Amino acid sequence: MNDIRKRLATLLLKKVDAASGDSATLQSRYKQFRVSLLVAITLIAMLPATAISVFGYFQYLVRLEKQELQHLSWHLEDSSAKLSALVNSSLQSGNGLPDAVTLQQVAGTNNPQTDSFIVDVKGQLQDPSTSFAPKEIQFPMDLLIPGDEQKTFAEKKPWGVGVTLYGITSLDHTPWFLILVKDGPMDKGEWMNFQLTLLVIFILCFSAGMFIIFQLVNILTSRIRESDANRMGLLSDAEHSNKLVSIGRLAAGVAHEINNPLAVIDQKAGLIEDLIDMSSEFPHKEKVDRSIVGIHDAVQRCKIITLRLLNFARKMDTRIEHIDLNDLLYEVICFLEKEAIHHQIQLDLQFDRELPQIESDRGQLQQIFLNILNNAIDAVVNDGVITICSSRVDEDRIMVSVKDTGSGMDPETLKHIFDPFFTTKETGKGTGLGLSITYSLVKRLRGDILAENNDNKGMCFTVTLPVRSQVVING
Amino acid sequence: MVDTRILIVDDEVEFASTLAERLELRGYRASSANCAETALALILASPPHVVILDIQMPDLNGLETLETIKEIHPEIEVILLTGYGSINSGIQGIVQGAFDFLMKPVSMTTLLKKIKQARQKTLEA
């Protein structure tokens, strides 16, 4: 079963290749397609996700700035009070300014993120800083408006990302000021820039991704549309061909039917002619003679007409070639596979791998099996199995059977199944021509077709065909 | 002319009987049958020299009838009458031993010529 599916797939691929170039370019095309799709999805999905998480993180940081400044403010107050007391007591005891380490400890800035200095009104450093700030700092004192007790602000780092938080307050009872410096989060301006950049990147990537996906979807749908149109085209071709064959068959039938009475007229006229010739003169003999001639001529004209009709019927030439029937059946199955899948019908293929090639007409065989399979699909409606078997009957004949799990048919209806215009479908659906055409095609190929009910359920159509076509003259 | 018995086998009654009548007027002993069974019965009862057999008959495959005739009386010459669609059968018939085949509608002159030739063959046999 699996290798049959593989063969089917190979055949399908062959068909696609035939339509769209060689297999290698097809493969690479599909590869490109997949890669583009992946890139597009990545662009669209990954970047926003990243952006959102980064956004979130930095949003957090920005909120922090406000908080940080607030904290700095409290710290400043707290330190200011402590330091005032410390400095005053140190001075009063005559020790001068406390050393840096003590200062830092009391100010609570003995950690890498913060630093504190004591400056005079001119901004000159009174004690050396031990932390990350540069050794000499000339503090811009004009920032401190006279009268302000305390001020905190954030300033963008001259190097790198982020801000530095500054807090400044005057130390009570001393001519000096306390400056606290803290490493702060990203500054607002930078943050806005960052957001903007990220947004732009996001939009670009998203647009690019969407564009790619849009194109891919277009390509995909146009391909699907193409192949659907093809299929429809093939099916409508088959339908059209069916109709032509049916007209042909009707025409042939009519022609044959008429030929018989024509022959009778001809003979009877001939007889009259013979009798006239044999008899002696009688009144109107000449006229009767001429009338006979007239009858003969009219008959001739009718013959020409019927010949034309029969010629039309025979326009479907039979072209004999060597055919691998299993391959042909696969092709027909390909046409209808979508139909079957759509109705959840399973196709069970049991092909004789040793089946010999037969001499027959490809187009007509396709027509025959297309009709039978179509019929089987219609019979099953939904959820069923159609079993197609091919086998050799004897040295001269092979047989193909199509079994369905439909509702079968009662013996009375079964008798008329191959009649033209006979259909069990509701008006408008089905022309009733399919099986009658199938019948005449099978006969034309010197085969046999049998329709019977299955033992358990549904119907079975068996087509027997000769391995060798007999005399190869159209007729 | 030598005594010649002809049997016409065609399911079209009027055609067969009229043709037989016309042949009679020309000195032949002609009779007609409308189906294979009657034909075979007549052949067994009183074998003709020439059989004119229509192979478009629906009830029994004309070629099968030909085969049977050739089996029971191989010396009988059979002239097949074929329609437009059964030329292949005509050729097949010759392969199976028919004397010749003519396409319907058949002209009297052609038919008479063929009958003469077929009868000649039976005399030579």
Side-chain angles (χ1 to χ4, degrees):
Chain A
M1 189 56 188
N2 261 330
D3 79 310
I4 287 179
R5 284 252 177 259
K6 249 186 259 175
R7 275 195 74 181
L8 191 61
T10 319
L11 255 153
L12 263 170
L13 211 61
K14 265 196 238 160
K15 276 218 162 329
V16 174
D17 288 351
S20 60
D22 68 292
S23 176
T25 54
L26 197 69
Q27 292 293 8
S28 75
R29 220 182 292 175
Y30 283 138
K31 221 189 216 170
Q32 285 172 9
F33 187 91
R34 272 202 294 267
V35 169
S36 321
L37 197 62
L38 278 172
V39 167
I41 289 178
T42 308
L43 285 176
I44 291 184
M46 298 299 295
L47 227 64
T50 320
I52 285 170
S53 49
V54 171
F55 274 13
Y57 174 67
F58 280 108
Q59 195 72 295
Y60 173 68
L61 287 183
V62 167
R63 250 175 277 135
L64 228 48
E65 185 183 307
K66 289 210 176 101
Q67 266 184 330
E68 292 287 287
L69 282 176
Q70 182 61 55
H71 288 162
L72 191 68
S73 188
W74 294 334
H75 192 174
L76 205 58
E77 254 183 67
D78 183 44
S79 308
S80 149
K82 290 194 198 140
L83 276 177
S84 290
L86 175 72
V87 165
N88 277 317
S89 78
S90 176
L91 285 175
Q92 272 165 10
S93 54
N95 290 337
L97 276 178
D99 65 285
V101 180
T102 321
L103 272 179
Q104 298 280 4
Q105 266 183 321
V106 171
T109 55
N110 48 350
N111 59 60
Q113 278 96 29
T114 55
D115 198 6
S116 55
F117 336 91
I118 298 182
V119 299
D120 67 5
V121 78
K122 288 211 190 78
Q124 291 272 44
L125 200 62
Q126 300 303 302
D127 70 288
S129 155
T130 55
S131 71
F132 67 87
K135 294 279 185 341
E136 299 243 328
I137 178 171
Q138 191 76 351
F139 206 79
M141 293 310 284
D142 45 4
L143 288 171
L144 188 66
I145 299 166
D148 271 358
E149 286 257 325
Q150 180 199 84
K151 189 170 173 71
T152 59
F153 59 93
E155 202 172 88
K156 186 160 166 44
K157 287 193 188 142
W159 36 265
V161 166
V163 293
T164 314
L165 301 173
Y166 292 96
I168 176 166
T169 185
S170 57
L171 288 173
D172 292 335
H173 314 303
T174 73
W176 297 314
F177 297 88
L178 172 65
I179 298 176
L180 283 185
V181 181
K182 187 161 184 205
D183 200 18
M186 214 180 220
D187 108 304
K188 267 240 172 69
E190 254 172 4
W191 165 231
M192 290 314 270
N193 271 345
F194 182 77
Q195 265 184 324
L196 216 64
T197 318
L198 216 58
L199 189 70
V200 169
I201 294 175
F202 168 72
I203 289 176
L204 283 175
C205 288
F206 188 77
S207 316
M210 286 310 286
F211 178 72
I212 294 174
I213 285 192
F214 182 71
Q215 293 295 65
L216 291 175
V217 166
N218 268 349
I219 293 173
L220 202 64
T221 49
S222 75
R223 267 177 190 271
I224 290 176
R225 220 174 289 140
E226 240 177 72
S227 86
D228 266 348
N230 263 343
R231 240 189 78 238
M232 290 277 77
L234 284 165
L235 282 177
S236 88
D237 275 351
E239 189 62 50
H240 182 67
S241 181
N242 257 0
K243 290 209 181 109
L244 281 180
V245 173
S246 78
I247 294 173
R249 192 169 175 250
L250 276 172
V254 165
H256 273 132
E257 293 290 301
I258 290 198
N259 271 339
N260 283 343
L262 266 182
V264 172
I265 295 172
D266 202 38
Q267 284 302 313
K268 295 279 181 191
L271 180 61
I272 297 175
E273 203 175 7
D274 292 345
L275 293 170
I276 300 275
D277 284 346
M278 280 170 31
S279 51
S280 47
E281 283 304 315
F282 65 88
H284 312 298
K285 181 176 183 179
E286 211 184 293
K287 218 175 199 172
V288 174
D289 239 345
R290 271 189 275 131
S291 298
I292 303 287
V293 173
I295 293 177
H296 274 306
D297 285 345
V299 168
Q300 268 309 112
R301 275 169 57 200
C302 284
K303 282 175 197 165
I304 293 174
I305 293 170
T306 57
L307 264 172
R308 271 204 219 119
L309 271 177
L310 288 166
N311 251 336
F312 169 74
R314 273 227 330 220
K315 274 283 149 75
M316 350 276 158
D317 272 7
T318 305
R319 241 177 301 138
I320 304 286
E321 52 184 309
H322 287 281
I323 295 170
D324 183 327
L325 199 62
N326 287 339
D327 276 349
L328 186 135
L329 286 168
Y330 286 133
E331 280 179 20
V332 174
I333 289 167
C334 282
F335 293 162
L336 295 173
E337 204 188 28
K338 254 203 195 160
E339 205 65 39
I341 290 174
H342 179 64
H343 292 287
Q344 272 121 14
I345 298 174
Q346 196 188 323
L347 296 170
D348 184 17
L349 311 178
Q350 296 171 7
F351 290 175
D352 178 356
R353 246 157 294 155
E354 307 288 318
L355 203 70
Q357 285 199 334
I358 67 170
E359 292 171 7
S360 194
D361 177 298
R362 182 176 291 275
Q364 291 181 24
L365 283 178
Q366 283 178 341
Q367 195 84 38
I368 290 168
F369 292 114
L370 201 67
N371 282 345
I372 295 178
L373 266 177
N374 244 339
N375 209 67
I377 290 177
D378 288 338
V380 172
V381 184
N382 269 315
D383 285 315
V385 184
I386 297 177
T387 313
I388 305 157
C389 312
S390 72
S391 61
R392 188 167 200 169
V393 177
D394 54 41
E395 213 184 273
D396 304 309
R397 292 177 303 161
I398 56 105
M399 143 186 135
V400 175
S401 72
V402 177
K403 293 195 191 75
D404 66 66
T405 55
S407 48
M409 213 170 262
D410 62 270
E412 262 313 299
T413 329
L414 205 55
K415 266 200 268 175
H416 298 286
I417 197 173
F418 293 119
D419 289 354
F421 304 113
F422 178 80
T423 178
T424 55
K425 296 183 187 143
E426 15 175 279
T427 20
K429 294 183 158 227
T431 50
L433 294 169
L435 284 179
S436 77
I437 284 160
T438 311
Y439 182 85
S440 52
L441 287 176
V442 170
K443 284 292 170 197
R444 184 192 290 224
L445 296 176
R446 273 181 211 75
D448 279 302
I449 180 167
L450 184 64
E452 52 198 351
N453 279 313
N454 274 340
D455 304 316
N456 22 351
K457 188 183 189 210
M459 289 192 57
C460 175
F461 282 85
T462 312
V463 176
T464 318
L465 294 164
V467 174
R468 249 167 290 291
S469 82
Q470 273 112 31
V471 188
V472 188
I473 291 193
N474 285 336
Chain B
M1 193 196 336
V2 90
D3 175 42
T4 307
R5 285 195 303 284
I6 303 176
L7 174 64
I8 302 159
V9 187
D10 193 315
D11 63 327
E12 190 66 50
V13 175
E14 289 298 311
F15 175 80
S17 62
T18 313
L19 183 57
E21 232 184 296
R22 293 183 74 189
L23 290 174
E24 289 257 331
L25 285 175
R26 284 157 177 78
Y28 294 99
R29 296 260 304 283
S31 44
S32 64
N34 302 121
C35 66
E37 284 100 29
T38 321
L40 292 169
L42 286 172
I43 289 173
L44 281 167
S46 163
H49 302 110
V50 177
V51 169
I52 299 172
L53 176 61
D54 167 51
I55 51 175
Q56 286 178 121
M57 286 196 298
D59 68 338
L60 189 66
N61 188 345
L63 290 176
E64 285 176 33
T65 316
L66 167 67
E67 212 178 312
T68 316
I69 297 175
K70 281 305 191 182
E71 270 171 33
I72 55 180
H73 278 282
E75 76 281 3
I76 296 179
E77 288 306 330
V78 181
I79 299 171
L80 300 173
L81 293 184
T82 67
Y84 188 78
S86 49
I87 299 177
N88 266 344
S89 310
I91 298 180
Q92 183 68 20
I94 294 183
V95 168
Q96 279 178 231
F99 178 75
D100 202 350
F101 73 95
L102 296 170
M103 264 196 65
K104 272 169 128 177
V106 62
S107 84
M108 199 59 182
T109 26
T110 320
L111 183 61
L112 289 170
K113 202 172 9 176
K114 274 286 173 250
I115 292 172
K116 267 209 189 82
Q117 290 171 356
R119 184 62 174 113
Q120 192 62 32
K121 189 156 179 229
T122 64
L123 292 170
E124 288 161 10

